[in-house]
């Protein structure tokens, strides 16, 4: 039976880079493209980072019972929805997967598939460093959205508070102070879990 290795962390914790580097190290891991109603960002590609969908399309998938987990964020640009859809991408009888998301999406996906199927990979970065990284990344956008950056940063304090981490059963944390060191610790966890299967 396969496992889902679930990368998560606050915004600008480096989780997107870590996710990509883990895929390079473990090319046998399958991926799951989640869905969002937010606008596509510079440098993103439909079907790679996300499936970019409309609110009516998302509501139709909910009506059909295909949404595994869904969350909506009230942004300065209006509500943006993110969700994982049971669209045939996940087959734990045949494959192991690498996914990326929030603590909330991890919990709902774990509840859907069962506790033993998901392995949490929670990445942490000191808040000042995280804010600096987020600001640098936003400056590189053609149309920087600084207000949204601030909203995300503050929302993460609530979304990833210690109580919620405990409730989700997050015991191990991977500090991303030095990327290669953090990546090696994460890779070691993945290797161990794959050998146990």
């Amino acid at each position: 039976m396969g496992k889902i290795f679930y990368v998560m962390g606050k915004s600008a914790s480096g989780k997107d880079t870590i996710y990509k580097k883990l895929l390079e190290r473990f090319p046998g891991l399958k991926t799951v493209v989640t869905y969002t109603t937010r606008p596509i960002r510079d440098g993103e590609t439909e079907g790679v980072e996300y499936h970019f969908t409309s609110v009516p399309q998302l509501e139709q998938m909910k009506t059909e019972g295909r949404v595994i987990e869904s969350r909506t964020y009230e942004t300065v640009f209006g509500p943006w929805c993110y969700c994982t859809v049971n669209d045939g991408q996940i087959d734990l009888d045949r494959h192991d997967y690498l996914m990326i998301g929030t603590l909330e999406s991890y919990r709902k996906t774990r509840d859907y598939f069962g506790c033993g199927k998901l392995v949490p990979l929670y990445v942490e970065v000191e808040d000042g460093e995280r804010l600096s990284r987020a600001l640098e990344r936003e400056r590189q956008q053609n149309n920087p959205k600084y207000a949204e950056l601030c909203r995300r940063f503050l929302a993460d304090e609530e979304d990833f508070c210690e109580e919620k981490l405990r409730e989700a059963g997050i015991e191990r944390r991977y500090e991303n102070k030095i990327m290669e060191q953090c990546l090696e610790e994460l890779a070691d966890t993945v290797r161990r879990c794959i050998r146990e299967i």
Side-chain angles (χ1 to χ4, degrees):
M1 192 60 76
K3 298 274 189 191
I4 298 173
F5 298 97
Y6 210 96
V7 178
M8 65 194 127
K10 296 176 181 177
S11 59
S13 61
K15 61 186 178 291
D16 293 316
T17 301
I18 284 169
Y19 173 84
K20 290 172 186 172
K21 288 185 178 289
L22 283 173
L23 283 176
E24 290 171 7
R25 288 191 182 204
F26 299 97
L29 292 176
K30 302 293 182 187
T31 61
V32 177
V33 180
T34 54
Y35 290 67
T36 185
T37 60
R38 79 153 167 77
I40 193 167
R41 291 180 181 153
D42 299 332
E44 290 182 328
T45 304
E46 159 59 31
V48 177
E49 288 83 7
Y50 293 99
H51 288 298
F52 295 92
T53 191
S54 67
V55 172
Q57 289 169 324
L58 175 57
E59 290 305 317
Q60 180 63 34
M61 289 185 282
K62 285 181 179 178
T63 300
E64 295 166 356
R66 298 192 304 137
V67 176
I68 294 170
E69 62 82 25
S70 175
R71 58 232 177 265
T72 301
Y73 301 101
E74 294 300 329
T75 77
V76 295
F77 301 100
W80 288 350
C81 300
Y82 294 81
C83 64
T84 305
V85 176
N86 186 355
D87 59 1
Q89 293 183 75
I90 302 173
D91 181 356
L92 290 173
D93 290 331
R94 300 178 59 206
H95 303 290
D96 296 307
Y97 293 83
L98 185 66
M99 291 180 68
I100 186 170
T102 65
L103 184 62
E104 179 184 354
S105 66
Y106 161 76
R107 289 180 65 174
K108 289 179 180 177
T109 304
R110 180 199 62 193
D111 293 347
Y112 184 88
F113 288 105
C115 286
K117 305 286 191 307
L118 270 72
V119 178
L121 303 175
Y122 179 62
V123 179
E124 280 190 325
V125 172
E126 186 272 326
D127 282 344
E129 177 62 23
R130 225 170 33 84
L131 186 57
S132 177
R133 290 178 186 182
L135 186 56
E136 183 57 34
R137 181 176 67 188
E138 202 60 35
R139 282 182 175 137
Q140 294 173 17
Q141 296 292 314
N142 286 337
N143 184 21
K145 296 175 175 67
Y146 297 116
E148 176 56 19
L149 178 156
C150 293
R151 185 209 61 80
R152 279 196 320 265
F153 188 86
L154 294 173
D156 280 343
E157 292 305 303
E158 172 64 24
D159 295 343
F160 289 92
C161 71
E162 289 301 318
E163 181 181 348
K164 289 182 180 178
L165 289 168
R166 276 192 307 276
E167 288 172 358
I170 303 300
E171 297 174 2
R172 176 118 192 237
R173 298 160 191 235
Y174 301 85
E175 186 180 359
N176 187 14
K177 191 170 188 176
I178 301 170
M179 173 67 75
E180 283 307 313
Q181 182 178 331
C182 180
L183 189 59
E184 192 50 49
E185 290 175 16
L186 289 158
D188 184 57
T189 297
V190 172
R191 278 191 292 272
R192 261 195 342 270
C193 290
I194 288 176
R195 280 197 299 268
E196 292 172 2
I197 296 172

